[in-house]
């Protein structure tokens, strides 16, 4: 099977993008990273992608009069690169309903909590304030509502006594880097179905991790 042409959208550091790029180097991985796009020219992740020989593109949202024209330009860039799948990885722009429906079931996102808990920003601060003992990360198909959509993979991460938002973020980030490639592999392999909010796959699940293992 030919690997699916994939774009990763970032706004900053790009450590999840890096994890996807590294995973996609494995022989037989069902996705190949063909484009890394950022809405910010200063996104640190762009340098890494360029050094890996991946096409990079900056679309500065401030240059567009509204969300719709930004989304249209974004769609054009993706089509120009022959992109089939889109991974949002720390991409800090909301995408409009039209764009989301064009890419429905072909666009995925990672969020640093066990959704549907703790949607939105400042996740780890809110997790600590709420006193929960277990948090984690979620990869899900994108729907128009922020941080919502059918869940592909999750990983649980314990909250340790004495955690700060930074120490917790680091631990969750390590889980993100392990989880996102697995979720992308499920989607790119095409071995899944979606019914309502439920994703099924015939790929084996690791019960200890609660993760699908491609
Ligand atoms: C990650 O925690 C991701 O879950 C969230 O934004 C952060 C991006 O980090 N959506 P990075 O740019 O991938 O390093």
């Amino acid at each position: 099977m030919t690997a699916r042409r994939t774009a990763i959208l970032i706004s900053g550091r790009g450590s999840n993008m890096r994890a996807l790029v590294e995973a996609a180097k494995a022989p037989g991985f069902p996705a190949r990273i063909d484009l890394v796009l950022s809405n910010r020219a200063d996104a640190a992740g762009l340098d890494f992608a360029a050094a890996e020989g991946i096409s990079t593109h900056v679309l500065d949202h401030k240059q567009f009069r509204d969300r719709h024209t930004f989304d249209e330009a974004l769609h054009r860039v993706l089509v120009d690169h022959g992109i089939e799948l889109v991974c949002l990885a720390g991409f800090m722009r909301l995408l409009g309903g039209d764009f989301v429906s064009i890419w429905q079931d072909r666009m995925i996102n990672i969020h640093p909590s066990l959704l549907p808990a703790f949607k939105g920003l400042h996740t780890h601060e809110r997790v600590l304030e709420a006193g929960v003992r277990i948090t984690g990360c979620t990869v899900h198909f994108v729907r128009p509502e922020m941080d919502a959509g059918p869940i592909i993979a999750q990983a649980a991460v314990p909250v340790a006594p004495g955690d700060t938002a930074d120490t917790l973020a680091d631990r969750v980030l390590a889980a993100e880097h392990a989880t996102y490639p697995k979720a992308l592999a499920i989607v790119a392999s095409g071995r899944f179905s979606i019914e309502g909010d439920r994703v099924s796959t015939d790929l084996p699940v690791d019960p200890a991790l609660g993760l699908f293992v491609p």
Side-chain angles (χ1 to χ4, degrees), residues 111 118-127:
H111 183 74
F118 303 106
K119 296 176 179 180
L121 296 174
H122 309 299
T123 320
H124 306 297
E125 284 86 344
R126 289 184 291 120
V127 160

Side-chain angles (χ1 to χ4, degrees), residues 56-112:
T56 60
H57 196 101
V58 175
L59 263 191
D60 179 356
H61 58 277
K62 294 192 290 297
Q63 306 294 320
F64 294 85
R65 68 171 180 278
D66 55 23
R67 192 184 306 285
H68 191 69
T69 49
F70 174 81
D71 287 358
E72 275 180 349
L74 174 57
H75 181 70
R76 254 196 321 274
V77 175
L78 297 175
V79 170
D80 286 350
H81 283 82
I83 295 303
E84 302 170 276
L85 298 175
V86 177
C87 296
L88 307 183
F91 185 64
M92 301 300 282
R93 300 294 303 164
L94 281 177
L95 297 161
D98 290 346
F99 182 90
V100 172
S101 62
I102 291 171
W103 289 92
Q104 165 125 348
D105 301 343
R106 297 187 294 147
M107 180 162 59
I108 64 180
N109 178 47
I110 188 155
H111 183 74

Side-chain angles (χ1 to χ4, degrees), residues 12-17 89-92 109-112 124 173 176-177:
R13 179 177 56 182
S15 69
N16 278 289
M17 176 270 294
F91 185 64
M92 301 300 282
N109 178 47
I110 188 155
H111 183 74
H124 306 297
L173 197 62
E176 293 182 47
H177 296 162

Side-chain angles (χ1 to χ4, degrees), residues 110 136-137 155-157 170-180:
I110 188 155
C137 63
V157 174
D170 287 348
R171 198 174 314 116
V172 172
L173 197 62
E176 293 182 47
H177 296 162
T179 308
Y180 210 168

